[in-house]
Amino acid sequence: MDLVIRDAEVVDGSGGPSYRADVAIDRGRIAAVVQEGAAAGCQRPTGRRVLDAEGLALSPGFIDMHAHSDLALLRDPDHSAKAAQGVTLEVLGQDGLSYAPVDDRTLAEVRRAITGWNGDGSDLDLDWRTVGEYLDRLDRGIAVNAAYLVPQGTVRMYAMGWEDRPATPAELDRMRQLVAEGLEQGAVGMSSGLTYTPGMYAPDAELTELCRVVARYGGYYCPHHRSYGAGALRAYEEMVALTREAGCALHLAHATMNFGVNKGRAPELLALLDRALDDGSDISLDTYPYTPGCTTLLALLPSWAQEGGPEAVLARLADAGTAERIRYDLEVTGSDGCHGVPVEWDTIEISGVTDPGLGGYVGRRVDGWDTARRLLTADRLGTTILQHVGHEENVRAIMRHRVHTGGSDGILQGAKPHPRAYGTFPEYLGRYVRELGVLTLEECVAHLTARPAARLRLPDRGRVKEGYVADLVLFDPATVAAGSTYDNPRALPVGIPHVLIDGRFVVEDCRRTDVLAGRAIRRTPVA
């Protein structure tokens, strides 16, 4: 064998009890799992290398079901933000906005629109235009594996620009075609950002038609739905009904219940989902184990103020009368960009700016509309924020649910990013398993491995099992913890000494190696 991991406590992803075993790896796959106390005379596996795992748990690699590493994987070969957490697969193309499929116009516009998430891309050669070409670019070698969702907002931008109106029949046909092509080229589903323009301009009938295409290819729909605040339950109900009508699997992105109106209301959401599941709906969800959210300052603006794209937004901000209308929607009415809730400026913390000259704002709370308007204009809409609007009791209740998976929603840009980008998975294992006992270790590992692998329809990942791909993590259950904090958000975790992808060490003895074992993980064709 290439490698034998000796005397590990195997947490195999099934949710069943852990067990002590030797695990043998050969040519990138798990060749044998020999439990302690196996039948007499069973020879322990031997290998060219033997790793003593005494005191360590061995689990499948963690799958980040909601990642924003679309350009980071190309920009940063090290990518310890995820590799050091034990993440071996990320799902990109989230919230309806990413970089394929595009033409030259659309690429330029989407780069501007999500500069706060990924940088503007000027340091990279963005030489792809189709989903397949983007996945081929990833296949040249990246730190961790990556799957991709066709971004519905980008598709709408490509087909009809930034207009707030229903699509014409020809435009809808073009969108169907773009989604189908992306799935044929390897995307695992489609995402939406229904509080982000231009995706939020799509009515339900349009989304249903696109979801029918997704269903035909065996993919899933992953919406950031229309509200996580006022009307959150109605927004969840909308997505359940829409996908049921389309016959499409549903995966709810960062399925939280935020803002004061939703304090303590997670049981209502879970009851809604249980009814739908019991009626036969195919539903899953992901969350991160933190209370604040993270987005762009631009995203809070009402959708009417964002019609036409970034330059149109800047023009409206420059006009005093229009800027006052925006302020009124934000502070009095409750902007649809801010989930229908009047903004509470003291909950908004600046986490990053694109203009270095504005660095003094980072870490500060926004003290009102005048500051927000000035910063949006000076930073050309590139400012990112933390929004301190979550509730711990909701976070804990949702992570216990039977269809829950883990997703960091990690934005890696900015001087002071959300600590979830570097800490989500060890935070689950350290705080919510060891310290709080919200989940058992076996339950938690299943949430982070086999369950998301099943959603992605990956038949040979997500378990420690013979024949499966050797994407594996060795961690110390007694010490594993997130190192990242709100004050030091890029600190790496502790207690995760080894991470393997395709049987190769990408983290060894707590150090990132120079191995680029990650590749694009393409949709499994429907049988």
Side-chain angles (χ1 to χ4, degrees), residues 405-482:
T405 68
S408 71
D409 198 10
I411 294 174
L412 301 170
Q413 288 293 115
K416 195 172 181 285
H418 196 305
R420 70 193 185 194
Y422 284 73
T424 286
F425 295 87
E427 182 77 354
Y428 269 120
L429 296 168
R431 176 167 168 75
Y432 288 92
V433 171
R434 184 181 63 247
E435 296 178 9
L436 299 176
V438 175
L439 296 168
T440 68
L441 181 60
E442 292 86 353
E443 288 171 337
C444 186
V445 167
H447 287 213
L448 306 181
T449 60
R451 193 174 289 171
R455 167 52 71 215
L456 295 168
R457 298 180 65 240
L458 302 177
D460 57 358
R461 296 175 191 269
R463 293 283 300 275
V464 180
K465 189 173 181 179
E466 290 183 11
Y468 276 51
V469 176
D471 292 351
L472 301 168
V473 183
L474 281 154
F475 62 92
D476 182 350
T479 64
V480 63

Side-chain angles (χ1 to χ4, degrees), residues 144-344:
V144 305
N145 295 312
Y148 188 75
L149 296 163
V150 178
Q152 171 261 330
T154 300
V155 165
R156 198 173 210 267
M157 194 188 310
Y158 192 163
M160 55 183 294
W162 293 79
E163 297 183 44
D164 183 2
R165 61 171 175 81
T168 66
E171 289 166 341
L172 182 55
D173 283 344
R174 180 61 174 141
M175 285 188 272
R176 288 193 193 98
Q177 179 188 15
L178 290 167
V179 172
E181 289 173 352
L183 290 159
E184 288 169 357
Q185 293 164 10
V188 295
M190 182 181 74
S191 75
S192 285
L194 300 179
T195 64
Y196 298 124
T197 58
M200 70 189 299
Y201 298 144
D204 283 0
E206 180 181 310
L207 296 172
T208 300
E209 287 304 307
L210 298 182
C211 282
R212 292 188 199 279
V213 177
V214 176
R216 191 164 70 243
Y217 285 90
Y220 68 92
Y221 180 44
C222 180
H224 165 127
H225 51 274
R226 298 191 193 275
S227 176
Y228 292 84
L233 287 174
R234 289 194 303 275
Y236 282 110
E237 289 171 347
E238 175 192 11
M239 294 298 100
V240 170
L242 186 156
T243 50
R244 179 179 292 158
E245 172 69 19
C248 186
L250 173 64
H251 180 85
L252 295 163
H254 37 62
T256 56
M257 293 285 285
N258 288 339
F259 302 90
V261 294
N262 289 317
K263 183 176 175 61
R265 298 187 69 188
E268 296 175 60
L269 166 61
L270 301 180
L272 184 163
L273 297 180
D274 282 334
R275 289 193 297 271
L277 288 162
D278 292 343
D279 285 343
S281 293
D282 183 359
I283 300 173
S284 55
L285 60 87
D286 66 67
T287 69
Y288 46 83
Y290 298 88
T291 53
C294 179
T295 187
T296 62
L297 186 57
L298 167 66
L300 304 186
L301 303 190
S303 58
W304 64 261
Q306 299 184 56
E307 186 176 7
E311 291 303 323
V313 176
L314 289 168
R316 292 183 181 105
L317 290 170
D319 179 79
T322 308
E324 172 57 22
R325 284 183 60 204
I326 295 172
R327 182 205 66 79
Y328 189 86
D329 268 10
L330 278 168
E331 296 183 350
V332 180
T333 304
S335 159
D336 51 3
C338 193
H339 307 275
V341 177
V343 69
E344 297 176 346

